[in-house]
Amino acid sequence: MTNLTPIPLGTTGMDITRLGFGSWAVSGSGWTFSWGATDDAESVAAIRHALDAGVNWIDTAAVYGLGHSEELVGKAVSGLPQADRPYIFTKVGLVWDPENPSAAPRRIMKPASVRREVEDSLRRLGVDHIDLYQVHYPDTGESLEYAGGGFGAVSPNATPVEEYWQVMADLKAEGKVRAIGLSNHTPDLLEAAEQIAHVDVIQPPFSAINRSSAAEIAWARAHETGVIVYSPLQSGLLTGAFSAERVAGLPAEDWRRAHHDFTTGLTANLQLADTLRPIAARHGATVAEVAIAWVLAWPGITGAIVGARRSDQVDGWIGAESVALTPSDLAEIAAAITSSGAGTGPARP
């Protein structure tokens, strides 16, 4: 039985379910950080299935599928009665070259670029305002090389956080967006932005494998800032459905094939996922639900973004909020994290 009870998202005035639908994986092929080919009808069905199950927000980004993900989200919510419409969150700041879609997008937050992007996102989503508009990455003026494990050098042409955060605050004041957030920003950048306008929400990565954003989450908790984390299942590694053979069989265009989590870190990550199985069995839950429940147990985290390309994948994680991990469970998971050597960061909430 699912239990999706909305809670306040910081001081935004929005109450969100603790699980949100993430739409990176449904973005399709033909761009740098694709998960491989997808079926648009299946994708829309998966989004609607999550909404029918009680999820009340969708997270997307302009760059996902180079606009395609936003279009799919717009299609999925079009025609829904206003009372049934989910909150829609999207992101800005990763700009691609339409003439070279396979090139890595550039991290650009110049004011004119941001204003162009927000209009494009509103059009693709088919909405008159965006509920949460987030800066995808700090501006470096250079390309985003995620698959290689780095995030690019900072160009002299990079826009300072104080400048682009003022533009985001202006968009909020103008009513184009309801709330503003920062994704993948370190505490020093969050603090600099906070001096310009309140950081409504942050979106860091966080999972039992990637625990490196504990400092950002603590900052948000101290500032009454909402926290929605991404990749709580570490791009599928914590679903219990992965193996070395499956990784070897990923499509050539799937960005995960080249990422260290699926190469040098794979053995440790799969070992950690396996240790969640007996805990899942005790709770009558899936491995994915236990992995997400661990994330939701972390103080300061409001909700988690979970992706799916098919409706049955939604069914595999929708019960996570109902999994109440005990202190003994948390200690067992902490021991497994330590013994596996997976990831970095504190091993328990």
Side-chain angles (χ1 to χ4, degrees):
M1 179 179 177
T2 60
N3 176 31
L4 300 180
T5 305
I7 63 173
L9 178 61
T11 58
T12 64
M14 292 182 278
D15 290 348
I16 65 167
T17 50
R18 300 207 70 197
L19 302 177
F21 188 95
S23 58
W24 177 11
V26 301
S27 58
S29 58
W31 68 294
T32 310
F33 303 113
S34 166
W35 296 60
T38 52
D39 181 291
D40 285 354
E42 280 190 340
S43 299
V44 169
I47 295 171
R48 289 179 175 164
H49 185 62
L51 300 180
D52 288 343
V55 170
N56 78 345
W57 55 286
I58 301 170
D59 182 84
T60 185
V63 77
Y64 296 163
L66 312 185
H68 188 59
S69 175
E70 286 187 331
E71 291 171 346
L72 282 178
V73 171
K75 182 177 181 180
V77 303
S78 66
L80 290 178
Q82 194 61 39
D84 297 336
R85 278 184 166 255
Y87 295 122
I88 295 177
F89 305 162
T90 194
K91 307 180 202 74
V92 59
L94 291 184
V95 179
W96 63 91
D97 179 0
E99 301 301 317
N100 187 14
S102 63
R106 296 176 64 203
R107 292 163 56 171
I108 299 175
M109 281 296 295
K110 293 188 181 303
S113 183
V114 173
R115 288 192 170 276
R116 174 187 58 77
E117 281 206 67
V118 74
E119 297 299 336
D120 287 346
S121 288
L122 288 166
R123 173 180 50 78
R124 286 189 292 258
L125 291 164
V127 296
D128 60 8
H129 75 279
I130 293 163
D131 294 301
L132 172 62
Y133 203 39
Q134 303 156 101
V135 181
H136 212 145
Y137 280 94
D139 185 339
T140 61
E142 299 296 331
S143 64
L144 174 71
E145 299 294 351
Y146 183 80
F151 297 109
V154 178
S155 162
N157 297 321
T159 307
V161 63
E162 294 86 351
E163 184 175 341
Y164 62 73
W165 192 241
Q166 183 61 62
V167 178
M168 297 290 283
D170 291 345
L171 292 178
K172 181 178 176 181
E174 294 163 15
K176 290 187 182 293
V177 304
R178 179 171 177 177
I180 50 178
L182 292 168
S183 180
N184 300 301
H185 281 61
T186 52
D188 59 321
L189 294 176
L190 297 176
E191 191 60 41
E194 184 73 11
Q195 304 310 307
I196 304 299
H198 181 51
V199 178
D200 293 323
V201 179
I202 66 167
Q203 185 185 136
F206 204 72
S207 74
I209 292 172
N210 183 355
R211 308 172 304 280
S212 61
S213 297
E216 288 83 349
I217 294 167
W219 183 94
R221 192 180 184 201
H223 289 80
E224 297 186 274
T225 291
V227 179
I228 55 173
V229 299
Y230 71 87
S231 295
L233 297 175
Q234 207 60 27
S235 305
L237 285 170
L238 292 172
T239 61
F242 261 91
S243 64
E245 292 73 23
R246 181 176 174 187
V247 172
L250 289 173
E253 62 183 331
D254 192 317
W255 68 272
R256 294 175 292 181
R257 284 182 63 96
H259 194 272
H260 60 82
D261 280 340
F262 290 81
T263 55
T264 56
L266 182 62
T267 299
N269 293 338
L270 292 180
Q271 180 184 328
L272 175 57
D274 280 342
T275 63
L276 301 181
R277 295 184 192 279
I279 300 171
R282 289 200 298 269
H283 286 273
T286 66
V287 170
E289 287 167 340
V290 169
I292 297 167
W294 183 89
V295 166
L296 296 180
W298 204 274
I301 290 179
T302 314
I305 301 163
V306 196
R309 290 192 272 186
R310 304 185 311 272
S311 296
D312 63 293
Q313 292 176 332
V314 174
D315 294 335
W317 52 253
I318 196 66
E321 190 179 333
S322 299
V323 178
L325 297 176
T326 66
S328 176
D329 293 330
L330 293 173
E332 188 174 337
I333 294 170
I337 288 171
T338 302
S339 64
S340 70
T344 56
R348 66 177 299 165

